[in-house]
Amino acid sequence: MTLETRLRRRRAAGHKLLMPYVTGGVTAGWLDHLRAFADAGADAIEVGLPFSDPTVDGATIQEATHRALARGATTRSVLADLADLAGAAADVPLVASTYYNLVVHAGPQRFCAALRDAGVSGLIVPDLPLDEADELADAAAVASVDLVLLAAPTTPPPRLAQIAQRSRGFVYAVSVMGTTGERTTVADSAEALANRLRDATDRPVLVGFGISTAQHAVHAARSADGVVVGAALMRQVLDGASPYDVGGYLARMRRALDQAAHPTD
Amino acid sequence: MTDVLQRVRAAGMGDPGRTGRFGRYGGGYVPESLVETCRQVAEEFRQAWSDPGFRESLTRLLTVHAGRPTPLTPASRLSTELGIQLLLKREDLTHTGSHKINNALGQALLARRMGRSRLIAETGAGQHGVATATAAALLGLRATVFMGERDIERQALNVFRMQLLGAEVVPVGTGSRTLSDATSQAMRHWVGVTDQAHYCIGSVVGPHPYPWMVRTFQRVIGDEARGQCARELTSAVPDYVVACVGGGSNAAGTFAGFVDTSARLVGVEAAGGAGAAHGRDGVLHGARSRFLQDDGGQIVEAHSIAAGLDYPGVGPEHAHLRDLGRARYEAVSDDEAVAAVIRLARTEGIVAALESAHALAWVIRAAGAGELPPGATVLLTLSGRGDKDVAALKDRSALKEPA
């Protein structure tokens, strides 16, 4: 079953979608964080494949990336770890995210085949806009990996429609003009972008960048189908929080989203 | 050669079109948040460059403020020693002391035309930062310059010059704390301020339209030099055209003036940052080009005594010229560059920047090895002057020995 099919099913069942992020290899026991996310009710989990020059990421994800690289994490080692997943975590779709250099280095076909072999069903490449995506989109399709495209607050309407049409899995709505990282509020641009995307497509729309609290998640998910949560979780991981604690934080987001979707439950 | 020239004319050192491709290199690998901004910059630049008023304004700034045209200086004593005829294109004599001012003035003028109030820049050796700060002050813009902490330490004089000109210098403490990290940080900052700030990239790197735009602003070097060589040389065109390459802006500007001639083009990189010579295909800072990488695809830190060459890749057009065989790229060590600075200083009375000294070092090596035939005519672009490097040179033991 594809990533998109699974997300559509969850949405059809009345759920708002919740996708936490973890940097692959950030700690020795990083898979325990991933398992905790699965236990907390994640609908999909984004796994960052560390790259030396993460130009779209703010300070927190940069720090996590550099820590993972310093520990010796590589694309190969992170995917090998993922291939070993078992239990509940194995049932949650995995979405890899990384920068295009790692794809070019391996070659798009080899890269996508390696994702598929590791059980990864989606791919986000934040420095690969629509105009440059043909080669990877073809390779991803062959490997049955959904290539997710991103939309931004400044994306003009005709291009937004193209992105929505070409994206697979879901459309990633970048909430704000900026990098990843915790913020105090959800930007107004997030709601506007999500509404424009939902007018343009039936594909699931997830809002990311700056979703830091349960309140943010509920707010953003009013217009979108769900949220991506990264830096807020990684800050805790970097500060030494246990998988139990970080999972608990995510579980509170899950409950808040469910409560907002079904206030009488 | 004719076949190569035809292909270069068709595919290189011209307008790379709306996709910004030089062969398989170039393009626009930026986050979606920057796509519209890059499109606007490309469109504005295309219009500006075909606007006689814009060209006239730029020419005037280059003339009355930057001091163009720069001279072509015969390096007479060194030529005799080497057995060749060496001509130096003196970008070190521009206002601010390097070729960087050509591009900074062009982009500052463009930024003002686009209604932007700020310039963002990254800098390694500090020369592009100084040029950007200068252009911003001249045109009434604010400037924010990102610079690696390591470069701030070794280029303290240029940091002060930028501050004196009213620019804010932002230290970057990630990664190798040099130019590559400063570039990443400048791009991150740009995403959040695209409506007010123009990112004034300092080399022929980055997403379309930057490699094309920066080369276009820098081709004044090559165009001037071509006319000057025609007057200076009986052959009109030199046998060799040589320039140093970090990202490669002075080389691209110089080569552009000679790419359709029989001159052999040579780009000289730092041995510890030889992206063209030793890099692999990759994508960084918005463009597909050649970058130093490890076996896992991680970008490898570059190392050079010349901060301006401390970049792990080259601009995409250089990668393309290399693939075409139209230009060749050679690597030179720190020691060779330092020796070249000393030799030029003592034969011609010119203290070159360490970046330019790499290009000179290759000429000295090639002449010594007989690779440059006796009597060969060589045009070398001195991209900047060495004031900023005197502290680094003073620390080198080679200088403490008698001449």
Side-chain angles (χ1 to χ4, degrees):
Chain A
M1 192 188 301
T2 67
L3 170 67
E4 183 162 332
T5 304
R6 294 172 75 156
L7 293 181
R8 281 177 180 271
R9 284 190 181 180
R10 289 287 290 168
R11 181 177 65 177
H15 291 282
K16 288 292 182 181
L17 305 170
L18 178 59
M19 185 166 88
Y21 164 92
V22 61
T23 301
V26 65
T27 62
W30 74 277
L31 282 182
D32 292 336
H33 288 287
L34 193 150
R35 292 188 185 97
F37 292 162
D39 293 342
D43 295 297
I45 299 173
E46 180 183 349
V47 178
L49 303 175
F51 176 55
S52 51
D53 295 72
T55 49
V56 182
D57 288 305
T60 304
I61 307 287
Q62 280 181 58
E63 186 183 341
T65 298
H66 290 138
R67 193 179 289 191
L69 290 171
R71 289 191 59 257
T74 63
T75 300
R76 184 174 294 195
S77 72
V78 171
L79 293 182
D81 286 351
L82 291 178
D84 290 339
L85 271 181
D91 295 331
V92 178
L94 298 175
V95 180
S97 67
T98 195
Y99 290 83
Y100 196 49
N101 192 62
L102 292 185
V103 179
V104 171
H105 186 82
Q109 290 178 348
R110 235 179 82 200
F111 187 85
C112 291
L115 295 183
R116 178 197 57 209
D117 294 347
V120 174
S121 56
L123 173 61
I124 300 168
V125 185
D127 62 343
L128 187 73
L130 174 73
D131 326 75
E132 305 286 0
D134 285 352
E135 189 180 9
L136 181 57
D138 291 347
V142 168
S144 300
V145 169
D146 282 348
L147 178 63
V148 178
L149 298 180
L150 293 86
T154 47
T155 306
R159 183 177 170 87
L160 202 68
Q162 282 183 307
I163 290 171
Q165 197 265 326
R166 295 280 310 276
S167 190
R168 295 289 178 268
F170 61 94
V171 185
Y172 194 131
V174 175
S175 72
V176 64
M177 292 297 287
T179 56
T180 63
E182 293 174 86
R183 289 183 172 82
T184 52
T185 57
V186 178
D188 291 342
S189 51
E191 189 173 352
L193 176 59
N195 283 331
R196 289 166 60 209
L197 277 168
R198 288 184 74 178
D199 286 346
T201 182
D202 181 47
R203 221 177 288 288
V205 173
L206 270 63
V207 171
F209 285 41
I211 307 299
S212 308
T213 66
Q215 289 75 19
H216 289 176
V218 169
H219 181 92
R222 282 205 306 250
S223 328
D225 296 306
V227 294
V228 184
V229 187
L233 301 172
M234 291 313 298
R235 183 72 263 154
Q236 296 174 48
V237 172
L238 292 169
D239 289 345
S242 69
Y244 177 84
D245 291 336
V246 185
Y249 191 85
L250 190 70
R252 287 193 287 282
M253 283 192 174
R254 172 82 276 165
R255 281 197 296 277
L257 283 172
D258 291 345
Q259 187 65 32
H262 306 284
T264 54
D265 286 359
Chain B
M1 188 58 137
T2 307
D3 183 39
V4 169
L5 285 178
Q6 280 171 352
R7 279 186 288 153
V8 171
R9 284 195 193 102
M13 309 224 90
D15 184 339
R18 300 208 175 268
T19 60
R21 292 275 166 192
F22 304 97
R24 69 175 188 273
Y25 303 108
Y29 297 87
V30 290
E32 178 63 24
S33 304
L34 289 176
V35 167
E36 182 60 14
T37 302
C38 287
R39 191 197 63 73
Q40 284 172 5
V41 174
E43 190 54 37
E44 285 284 347
F45 172 66
R46 196 177 288 278
Q47 286 178 13
W49 200 244
S50 61
D51 174 357
F54 180 87
R55 298 278 287 270
E56 205 175 292
S57 299
L58 180 58
T59 301
R60 180 167 169 76
L61 285 178
L62 290 172
T63 305
V64 304
H65 202 77
R68 303 211 72 88
T70 57
L72 191 70
T73 304
S76 306
R77 293 183 60 215
L78 185 57
S79 290
T80 303
E81 286 183 15
L82 298 177
I84 60 171
Q85 187 177 353
L86 177 61
L87 299 169
L88 305 175
K89 179 59 176 165
R90 300 294 303 279
E91 294 304 292
D92 58 315
L93 292 181
T94 56
H95 177 53
T96 74
S98 86
H99 73 291
K100 296 291 186 185
I101 193 69
N102 306 325
N103 168 55
L105 285 172
Q107 289 203 48
L109 209 53
L110 185 73
R112 201 170 69 172
R113 182 184 165 105
M114 292 175 73
R116 302 290 190 261
S117 59
R118 282 182 63 200
L119 295 179
I120 299 167
E122 80 297 314
T123 195
Q127 293 301 87
H128 175 57
V130 169
T132 303
T134 300
L138 182 65
L139 296 180
L141 304 168
R142 285 169 53 213
T144 304
V145 181
F146 292 86
M147 191 168 185
E149 287 176 346
R150 190 160 160 253
D151 290 336
I152 284 178
E153 286 162 20
R154 55 183 176 167
Q155 297 294 347
L157 185 63
N158 271 341
V159 173
F160 181 71
R161 288 171 76 192
M162 285 181 254
Q163 291 167 337
L164 190 62
L165 289 158
E168 177 193 14
V169 180
V170 180
V172 177
T174 51
S176 61
R177 301 182 298 131
T178 59
L179 179 57
S180 179
D181 307 284
T183 307
S184 296
Q185 193 57 35
M187 289 191 84
R188 291 186 193 103
H189 180 75
W190 187 30
V191 179
V193 294
T194 50
D195 53 341
Q196 1 155 347
H198 171 74
Y199 182 13
C200 181
I201 293 182
S203 194
V204 286
V205 301
H208 177 64
Y210 283 95
W212 166 53
M213 178 167 67
V214 176
R215 181 253 290 157
T216 303
F217 285 137
Q218 292 292 5
R219 75 169 294 150
V220 66
I221 306 171
D223 288 344
E224 276 179 17
R226 179 139 175 203
Q228 291 165 324
C229 285
R231 292 189 290 277
E232 190 73 27
L233 298 173
T234 50
S235 59
V237 169
D239 298 323
Y240 291 81
V241 173
V242 186
C244 65
V245 175
S249 67
N250 91 88
T254 307
F255 291 176
F258 294 91
V259 72
D260 60 344
T261 72
S262 59
R264 295 167 197 268
L265 309 179
V266 183
V268 184
E269 303 183 281
H278 303 307
R280 303 184 199 179
D281 278 23
V283 170
L284 184 68
H285 297 145
R288 186 165 184 149
S289 189
R290 290 173 64 82
F291 298 98
L292 300 177
Q293 302 170 54
D294 68 15
D295 290 342
Q298 307 295 343
I299 302 298
V300 171
E301 290 178 12
H303 297 285
S304 171
I305 190 174
L309 304 186
D310 225 349
Y311 187 74
V314 290
E317 195 164 26
H318 285 294
H320 182 50
L321 290 172
R322 176 188 171 278
D323 279 8
L324 288 173
R326 180 61 191 97
R328 57 188 272 210
Y329 294 85
E330 301 283 341
V332 156
S333 70
D334 284 354
D335 286 345
E336 288 176 282
V338 169
V341 170
I342 297 167
R343 192 155 177 191
L344 187 71
R346 294 179 183 183
T347 52
E348 305 297 335
I350 297 169
V351 178
L354 280 165
E355 288 78 9
S356 315
H358 281 73
L360 181 64
W362 179 80
V363 171
I364 293 170
R365 184 209 293 170
E371 191 178 344
L372 294 178
T377 52
V378 178
L379 170 74
L380 186 149
T381 298
L382 274 189
S383 59
R385 65 178 178 234
D387 308 28
K388 66 186 174 56
D389 298 321
V390 289
L393 288 164
K394 195 160 173 269
D395 291 340
R396 301 288 294 207
S397 58
L399 264 185
K400 292 170 185 162
E401 295 164 11

